Amino acid sequence: MAKIGRNDLCACGSGKKYKRCCYAEDAQRASEAAASRNEANWSRGSRKAGAPLRREDDEWSDEAVRKRLEAAYGDDDDWRKIRRTEGKMVHKIVDYVLTRYGSELLQEAMGEFDFHGGYPIENMFSETIVIPWSVFNWIPPKLKKGRSSRGRPKQQLGLEYLKENAGLLDEYERAFIFEACHQPFSFFVITDVAPGKSLGLRDLFLDRTFTVKEASASRRARPGDILFTRVVPMGEQAVMVGMAPVPLPPGEHLSLLDLRDSFKKHFRDNGLELNQFALFYLDVYLREAYLIKVEQITNPPRPQMVNTDGDPLTLAKVYFKLECSALEALEGLISLAHPAVQDALLEQAVNAGEGGLPELCLEWVKKGNKAHKHWDNTLLGRLTIKGNILTAEVNSEKRAKKIQSEIKKRLGANAVFQKADYESIEDKVEELANQPDGPLSEAARKEKDGLDSRPEIQAMIKAELEAHWEGWYTKRLPALGNKTPLAAARTTAGRERLEALLVEFERKNETVLQPLLRLDIEAMRKRLGL
């Protein structure tokens, strides 16, 4: 069954949006099911909720933890200490909550994290982020009127545990819990990677930098990726406590800067500043922003293909029956062609004599281009006259209606509209992709490769690309706050956005097979003074 979006019409047939109809009931069921699935993880397998751990089952015993950390970090005592403390404290706090408050409180926290099933998450989220978020960030809300909140935690679960068990902990463990409960989640861009050892991170919202020692994540992380996590500094060390398992690609950097700037403006307008305490207040918005982006990454919508006028691409073929000669039709339509070829087309048709040409072709063009300002003209479609049939082929419904109007205006009663056929560009692409490779397609590929490799074709492509990117430097871009790249490079905020854009270009370069089509990012940085 296809997933229903919260803004889609509800499947029950009420005519209301799903979020205003059956969403709450479905979300509650999903939350309860998710909590039941994960309670076993939180209760350590077969152990009943709230029962004390048996030492032989305790994966967080000193010996078990020491062996795991030594395998990852050798003789780095400071690093092993912070990692061992993290694992032990999270485990002890969870066990305390199960014993003190019961599994229902943890189920409530889990439901809160994913908005009660509004954003379904994989089980891998539980250990990596849901549990750390629940014990160090979540503050249980007050219950509705009529339900007693007596005995219910009034602060983070970690601080509740610390209040009751401080005497059983050493100074380092107490400091770790306190610091973890006072560090918010944020979005961190990876600035550098030492595989198997560490990550350099910069907080996009607070502009803080950290070097965190990280074994597994640093092996697959890449500069430019964005992590949703919380960094806990302890002396000279720093550790990520609760890292969301799906990193965001560099392409999300600019939208996160937009979100940050909107928050900054909101706080500034109210005489406040965006700091780490503000991020605690904004946690619900940051979490939802992350979950939305993960949903878009894992279930991307099909991109809408448009022509250079911004119209959705649709293959359209419009048919007319001619009540005049092909030459008369051409004379009426010739003004649609580029002025430089009009005389040649007419002369060719006249010289064909009585039999006429078996087929007359005319390219419909207009001056300039909406998307590419340096283009002299735009090809809108092709008109073909064969016998007494006139066809017009264009790539959008809007252009199909426009050419019908133009033909009727120029030929009047001499052109009788027959029909218009439309074909989805997505269906056409899929059809071509599913066609088996045969001698004809192989020959066409070799012919194209041969054409593309010819020096004059290469030179033409290179000149076209150079003209496009030269125009890019002076083009106002929404991603840069409607400034040109050259203007943005003169401000700190503009340079931050330019760097994000260039990192995105760098990542896209990796998928470009032809060297000619790859951007010279270093040359662009030099031109912009970055």
Side-chain angles (χ1 to χ4, degrees):
M1 181 178 176
K3 182 182 174 183
I4 303 175
R6 291 181 299 162
N7 289 310
D8 294 340
L9 291 178
C10 190
C12 74
S14 66
K16 299 179 181 178
K17 288 186 176 181
Y18 179 50
K19 66 182 180 182
R20 302 193 182 281
C21 192
C22 295
Y23 169 75
E25 183 179 345
D26 291 348
Q28 182 62 33
R29 283 199 297 266
S31 176
E32 290 172 358
S36 297
R37 285 195 306 271
N38 285 279
E39 185 179 338
N41 291 336
W42 290 18
S43 300
R44 303 295 172 191
S46 61
R47 183 171 59 89
K48 292 182 179 180
L53 284 168
R54 297 190 302 273
R55 295 303 296 176
E56 61 268 31
D57 294 335
D58 188 3
E59 63 178 292
W60 294 109
S61 67
D62 290 342
E63 182 63 19
V65 171
R66 184 185 64 77
K67 288 180 179 179
R68 288 202 303 274
L69 293 177
E70 278 188 355
Y73 292 99
D75 59 356
D76 190 338
D77 292 334
D78 288 341
W79 178 243
R80 291 206 309 270
K81 182 178 182 181
I82 193 173
R83 269 302 184 199
R84 181 171 61 247
T85 301
E86 176 207 358
K88 287 179 67 176
M89 291 304 99
V90 170
H91 177 65
K92 286 181 178 296
I93 294 167
V94 168
D95 199 50
Y96 159 79
V97 173
L98 288 170
T99 304
R100 176 76 167 76
Y101 299 103
S103 62
E104 293 81 6
L105 195 67
L106 293 179
Q107 291 180 12
E108 185 181 344
M110 177 171 285
E112 188 77 20
F113 181 86
D114 68 356
F115 298 88
H116 302 286
Y119 300 95
I121 56 177
E122 301 293 333
N123 286 338
M124 62 181 175
F125 276 73
S126 295
E127 289 289 345
T128 58
I129 187 170
V130 176
I131 294 176
W133 177 85
S134 298
V135 299
F136 294 127
N137 286 70
W138 183 63
I139 299 175
K142 291 182 179 180
L143 296 177
K144 295 180 180 179
K145 290 182 178 180
R147 297 183 62 189
S148 174
S149 296
R150 189 175 179 181
R152 189 175 171 85
K154 296 180 175 59
Q155 58 185 339
Q156 288 107 308
L157 302 180
L159 293 180
E160 286 288 325
Y161 170 81
L162 183 61
K163 182 177 67 174
E164 294 191 21
N165 296 277
L168 302 176
L169 307 174
D170 63 33
E171 183 179 354
Y172 191 85
E173 291 169 336
R174 292 194 297 271
F176 177 86
I177 293 175
F178 184 85
E179 189 65 31
C181 288
H182 287 81
Q183 289 294 337
F185 274 85
S186 186
F187 290 94
F188 292 82
V189 63
I190 298 175
T191 55
D192 53 76
V193 178
K197 295 182 179 179
S198 64
L199 295 174
L201 302 177
R202 181 169 66 84
D203 189 338
L204 293 183
F205 280 68
L206 301 183
D207 200 22
R208 306 177 294 169
T209 58
F210 298 96
T211 297
V212 298
K213 289 182 179 178
E214 177 61 46
S216 58
S218 63
R219 289 193 179 95
R220 60 182 184 273
R222 306 174 63 190
D225 285 346
I226 300 165
L227 305 179
F228 183 59
T229 186
R230 177 234 324 277
V231 175
V232 177
M234 292 289 288
E236 298 299 317
Q237 301 282 353
V239 63
M240 290 187 290
V241 180
M243 183 186 77
V246 181
L248 303 180
E252 298 295 341
H253 195 146
L254 288 167
S255 66
L256 289 172
L257 292 182
D258 289 338
L259 183 63
R260 179 202 66 187
D261 291 346
S262 69
F263 288 150
K264 278 187 173 181
K265 183 180 184 304
H266 171 77
F267 278 84
R268 188 171 56 247
D269 290 347
N270 288 277
L272 303 169
E273 65 174 330
L274 186 66
N275 54 29
Q276 70 182 68
F277 301 106
L279 288 194
F280 272 102
Y281 167 75
L282 296 170
D283 177 81
V284 63
Y285 302 104
L286 299 181
R287 202 163 11 99
E288 184 169 36
Y290 173 76
L291 293 173
I292 288 173
K293 290 180 182 298
V294 168
E295 194 169 352
Q296 291 170 344
I297 290 169
T298 54
N299 299 289
R302 178 177 290 185
Q304 186 180 43
M305 303 174 72
V306 298
N307 60 23
T308 55
D309 286 336
D311 305 324
L313 281 183
T314 300
L315 300 178
K317 200 167 186 178
V318 185
Y319 295 84
F320 285 85
K321 181 179 179 182
L322 294 176
E323 302 291 346
C324 62
S325 69
L327 181 58
E328 288 174 319
L330 180 62
E331 289 173 340
L333 300 171
I334 197 65
S335 61
L336 295 172
H338 193 284
V341 302
Q342 290 179 10
D343 291 341
L345 284 173
L346 287 171
E347 185 177 349
Q348 183 185 17
V350 171
N351 292 340
E354 290 186 9
L357 290 171
E359 189 173 279
L360 288 173
C361 295
L362 176 151
E363 291 189 338
W364 175 31
V365 299
K366 71 173 182 178
K367 190 175 181 180
N369 186 274
K370 183 178 179 180
H372 306 288
K373 302 301 182 185
H374 62 285
W375 286 14
D376 295 328
N377 55 73
T378 303
L379 175 64
L380 299 176
R382 287 183 173 83
L383 280 66
T384 303
I385 301 172
K386 191 171 184 179
N388 68 337
I389 299 298
L390 165 65
T391 58
E393 296 177 82
V394 293
N395 64 9
S396 73
E397 290 189 30
K398 187 175 180 179
R399 288 182 182 177
K401 292 176 181 177
K402 176 68 175 175
I403 196 60
Q404 284 186 58
S405 173
E406 294 291 342
I407 290 172
K408 206 64 187 169
K409 181 171 66 177
R410 286 166 169 76
L411 300 184
N414 285 330
V416 180
F417 173 75
Q418 301 292 294
K419 64 176 181 175
D421 291 335
Y422 297 95
E423 183 178 9
S424 162
I425 190 70
E426 287 85 358
D427 292 344
K428 188 65 176 177
V429 169
E430 187 173 344
E431 176 189 328
L432 293 173
N434 292 332
Q435 283 183 352
D437 290 336
L440 290 177
S441 60
E442 178 65 17
R445 184 188 63 78
K446 287 182 177 179
E447 181 181 0
K448 180 183 182 302
D449 290 346
L451 283 171
D452 288 347
S453 63
R454 285 167 53 181
E456 63 271 27
I457 299 295
Q458 293 273 309
M460 186 172 64
I461 294 173
K462 184 179 180 181
E464 186 68 32
L465 288 173
E466 287 177 349
H468 168 77
W469 287 106
E470 183 61 33
W472 178 82
Y473 290 100
T474 56
K475 183 178 181 180
R476 293 181 180 274
L477 303 177
L480 301 177
N482 211 32
K483 293 181 179 179
T484 69
L486 288 174
R490 293 195 287 268
T491 67
T492 301
R495 287 194 295 274
E496 181 183 24
R497 288 179 171 272
L498 276 171
E499 279 290 359
L501 199 57
L502 294 182
V503 170
E504 183 181 358
F505 289 168
E506 264 180 332
R507 186 64 62 87
K508 288 180 178 178
N509 261 356
E510 297 173 5
T511 62
V512 178
L513 299 179
Q514 292 191 33
L516 181 65
L517 302 180
R518 294 191 195 120
L519 295 176
D520 187 342
I521 305 298
E522 288 309 310
M524 297 176 78
R525 283 199 171 97
K526 186 176 180 180
R527 173 78 180 273
L528 294 166
L530 298 177

